[in-house]
Amino acid sequence: MSILAARMIGSGSYLPEQILSNAELAGRLDTTDEWIRTRTGITERRIAAPGEYTSDLALKAAQRALQMADVSAETLDFILLATTTPDLVFPATAVRVQRKLGVKRQIPAFDLQAVCAGFIYGLSMADSLIRSGAARRVLVIGAETMSRAVDWQDRSTCILFGDGAGAVVLEATEEPQRGILSTHLYADGQYEDLLRTQGGISHGILLDPASGSGFLQMRGNEVFKQAVKALEEIVDVTLAANGLDKSQIDWLVPHQANIRIIQSTAKRLGMTMERVVMTVDRHGNTSAASVPLALDEAVRDGRIQPGHLLLLEAFGGGFTWGSALVRW
Ligand code: UT7
């Protein structure tokens, strides 16, 4: 059999129950609902419960994706989990999800760290595995508990992030022009100081809520400019690689960091916001989970239909960024 593409056969997502509104944040910090909404587009975000870990969110998203695909977890050949907020340093959160899914086959499973671009990186890896014949069915998850990576005293960052998970099941298909048509990945380490955590195992600095040490720090304004530029460029690269015109894209499914970044990418594509899947208002920035969360929402509410052409993109810490062109 000649394998031509990796097709998405199911999607799923999960958000923790607790909603944290801008009004609640304004009660604790020197900020306002108005500032957060106008600068970011965010009105609320979800926060994982005590004892609820990244693998728990990932498990629920994965179960829903498997259910939509109508396949059992036992038929998976590979699990890739993109996260910046793993349950533990090790074992990998992907392996914990493998166990929680009850998978008895000793299939490979590992975590992938490309921060907010992690899910796009995961799709690209899964596409390569399937095209090469190394795997026929791959589960790709983006899952985060970003609420545990931010300093809740730092108004410039904590208001931005939320928790959640999304997943897709990919399967080998012989149908040409179906599934992942192309992926484009980039990294540039020279901007590390604009967006990074201050702590980590090898640095010997742990994330400590009492002292506020170790948490995420960002020079938001400078990250914003780099994100807009990189995403505008990647849109052009993706279209050119496929010989497509921007008018042929049915849906933009962007990383949900800031409504103003999303609007600038949509403008580059000549798209009205009606053709952009937006969740940033209700989810905030869920890092690697944001693209699959948005994708699943639009698949389940019927906006995305079989045959539609989707442009997925993300930009984040590293910097890392990437895009995927997908025929649903
Ligand atoms: O997903 C990974 C990639 N990340 C991103 O793409 C994030 C990109 N950056 C952004 O989304 C925006 O830069 C932010 C939303 C983070 C910030 O918006 P901004 O318009 O770039 O604001 P700013 O950082 O330039 O700050 C403007 C002012 C500052 O006060 P002064 O110096 O002008 O007096 C900040 O101290 O807003 C102040 N400020 C706040 N005020 C009220 C910062 N955070 C807050 C806040 N509430 N929460």
Side-chain angles (χ1 to χ4, degrees), residues 12-292:
S13 59
Y14 176 75
L15 291 162
E17 275 175 30
Q18 192 200 333
I19 296 173
L20 178 60
S21 69
N22 289 351
E24 283 170 272
L25 283 171
R28 304 181 200 161
L29 296 162
D30 181 16
T31 190
T32 60
D33 171 51
E34 211 248 330
W35 191 96
I36 300 172
R37 267 190 299 106
T38 53
R39 299 283 179 135
T40 69
I42 300 166
T43 56
E44 61 186 39
R45 68 287 292 142
R46 300 296 183 106
I47 305 295
E52 189 175 36
Y53 303 118
T54 295
S55 65
D56 299 313
L57 312 186
L59 173 69
K60 289 185 174 127
Q63 285 169 329
R64 290 173 184 176
L66 288 161
Q67 195 176 31
M68 185 191 289
D70 197 20
V71 298
S72 115
E74 209 57 53
T75 67
L76 294 170
D77 296 323
F78 218 110
I79 300 175
L80 288 166
L81 190 146
T83 190
T84 310
T85 47
D87 290 12
L88 301 166
V89 173
F90 70 87
T93 305
V95 180
R96 301 188 105 196
V97 171
Q98 179 205 31
R99 172 172 55 79
K100 291 180 184 190
L101 279 170
V103 175
K104 296 284 182 294
R105 287 174 62 219
Q106 294 168 336
I107 58 167
F110 71 94
D111 291 357
L112 192 159
Q113 160 59 304
V115 204
C116 299
F119 181 75
I120 305 288
Y121 268 61
L123 284 185
S124 188
M125 300 302 111
D127 187 39
S128 299
L129 286 166
I130 288 174
R131 283 178 191 271
S132 73
R136 285 191 53 80
R137 201 171 271 170
V138 181
L139 174 64
V140 182
I141 309 169
E144 301 279 14
T145 44
M146 290 303 287
S147 64
R148 307 209 171 120
V150 294
D151 174 2
W152 286 98
Q153 308 304 314
D154 177 7
R155 68 173 185 171
S156 71
T157 54
C158 75
I159 54 125
L160 301 169
F161 293 93
D163 301 336
V168 292
V169 181
L170 291 148
E171 187 177 77
T173 177
E174 287 184 315
E175 275 185 78
Q177 295 302 303
R178 195 76 196 271
I180 298 179
L181 304 184
S182 74
T183 58
H184 308 268
L185 305 181
Y186 299 89
D188 188 340
Q190 69 175 306
Y191 298 105
E192 179 188 298
D193 288 347
L194 301 186
L195 176 55
R196 57 179 288 191
T197 62
Q198 297 301 306
I201 292 290
S202 191
H203 274 243
I205 304 166
L206 296 177
L207 275 62
D208 176 20
S211 65
S213 76
F215 291 102
L216 183 152
Q217 286 192 347
M218 174 163 67
R219 305 221 301 260
N221 209 301
E222 289 166 70
V223 175
F224 186 98
K225 287 179 205 147
Q226 295 297 332
V228 167
K229 185 166 166 285
L231 293 172
E232 284 183 355
E233 284 169 9
I234 211 169
V235 160
D236 294 346
V237 166
T238 309
L239 290 170
N242 291 277
L244 290 169
D245 181 78
K246 56 191 181 183
S247 63
Q248 291 171 275
I249 306 289
D250 292 298
W251 292 101
L252 174 64
V253 188
H255 173 47
Q256 312 278 328
N258 186 312
I259 192 171
R260 293 182 290 135
I261 297 175
I262 297 172
Q263 284 164 339
S264 86
T265 312
K267 195 170 162 204
R268 182 72 159 213
L269 283 164
M271 283 179 138
T272 62
M273 292 306 279
E274 283 74 51
R275 289 201 289 144
V276 179
V277 183
M278 290 277 293
T279 55
V280 68
D281 52 334
R282 289 157 291 125
H283 301 176
N285 182 346
T286 56
S287 185
S290 91
V291 171

